[in-house]
Amino acid sequence: MAAAKSNTNWFAIGVSIAVVVVLVAIGGLVVFLNNQATAPGATPKANDTFNSETGAISFGDGEDTIAVFVDFQCPVCKTFEDQFGGQLEAAAADGRITLEYHPIAILDRFSQGTEYSSRSAGAAVCVAESNPELYLDFAKTLFENQPAENTSGLTNDQLAGFATQVGADDAVSCITDETYRKFGAAQAKSHEIAGTPTVEINGTRLNLQDQADLKKFTDLIS
């Protein structure tokens, strides 16, 4: 009887150890998968126009810097671009401002699981890396062809086709390979962006619903 009792205890201990090992392995897998999901992904190459660390694509050399954070899935961003895009570009071209665009991704939940916000932001980064002088043309094309929210969005081939359309052929394989798919979400997290468009003047975030802030913005670009 004593021997049988001893064997049973060792069996129970063995089972407990096995359970612990399995739980540790599962915990490690969960941590690994979480890290993979939140990892920033590949780092693009910087150039004179594109700062791969801050995600800024810059135009002009004015004393005051206006930074605009956009999500290509965002309807309000399209409205903002339609209303102010031309003035922003003109002010940058005239040397009145330095204009920074930041393509980010916060609206993946509105593209039926295809992560269109992330893919379109990644595509814009591909263009900024390979053909920065064509970024504005590409961004305008994305807004002109903006898919409705709660649809699957544009395909990678369509995004690549728009790159070719504006002359950014060097970005095509980068877009279809989704090289920078994670970049937009990582930048949104880094800059703590909760809504788009987000606008900053010299690093100070504006509330464009506030008339005083809106006046600061429009005075710089008028």
Side-chain angles (χ1 to χ4, degrees):
M1 294 292 294
K5 183 177 181 181
S6 176
N7 289 339
T8 301
N9 287 341
W10 280 113
F11 175 75
I13 291 171
V15 170
S16 298
I17 292 173
V19 169
V20 169
V21 169
V22 170
L23 290 175
V24 169
I26 291 174
L29 178 61
V30 169
V31 170
F32 172 77
L33 292 176
N34 284 339
N35 287 339
Q36 288 293 101
T38 58
T43 301
K45 296 177 183 177
N47 54 51
D48 291 342
T49 299
F50 176 49
N51 184 323
S52 59
E53 182 177 344
T54 66
I57 304 152
S58 301
F59 304 91
D61 56 2
E63 182 178 352
D64 294 303
T65 298
I66 296 182
V68 183
F69 298 81
V70 297
D71 184 317
F72 292 110
Q73 177 74 77
C74 162
V76 182
C77 293
K78 182 182 186 305
T79 300
F80 178 89
E81 172 63 25
D82 291 342
Q83 185 172 359
F84 297 114
Q87 289 176 278
L88 284 165
E89 290 176 41
D94 293 344
R96 286 178 282 144
I97 65 169
T98 297
L99 173 60
E100 293 182 351
Y101 274 113
H102 296 254
I104 63 167
I106 61 172
L107 298 176
D108 279 333
R109 64 189 182 279
F110 292 123
S111 54
Q112 298 183 347
T114 72
E115 296 187 355
Y116 177 69
S117 289
S118 287
R119 291 187 295 107
S120 56
V125 170
C126 288
V127 173
E129 179 188 59
S130 62
N131 302 96
E133 74 284 359
L134 298 174
Y135 170 81
L136 292 174
D137 291 336
F138 183 68
K140 290 175 188 175
T141 302
L142 292 190
F143 279 129
E144 288 168 1
N145 295 275
Q146 184 182 71
E149 289 184 322
N150 297 311
T151 67
S152 58
L154 303 174
T155 66
N156 290 339
D157 286 340
Q158 287 175 306
L159 291 170
F162 289 136
T164 298
Q165 180 178 312
V166 301
D169 298 276
D170 293 339
V172 167
S173 62
C174 175
I175 294 171
T176 56
D177 291 344
E178 298 185 356
T179 303
Y180 302 125
R181 180 174 184 147
K182 294 185 177 182
F183 190 82
Q187 285 297 313
K189 181 178 180 182
S190 174
H191 290 283
E192 298 181 346
I193 304 297
T196 50
T198 291
V199 178
E200 295 178 349
I201 296 178
N202 299 325
T204 298
R205 193 158 295 180
L206 303 183
N207 173 11
L208 295 183
Q209 302 303 312
D210 179 86
Q211 289 302 309
D213 278 1
L214 180 60
K215 187 175 187 304
K216 290 178 187 177
F217 170 68
T218 55
D219 282 351
L220 279 179
I221 64 175
S222 297

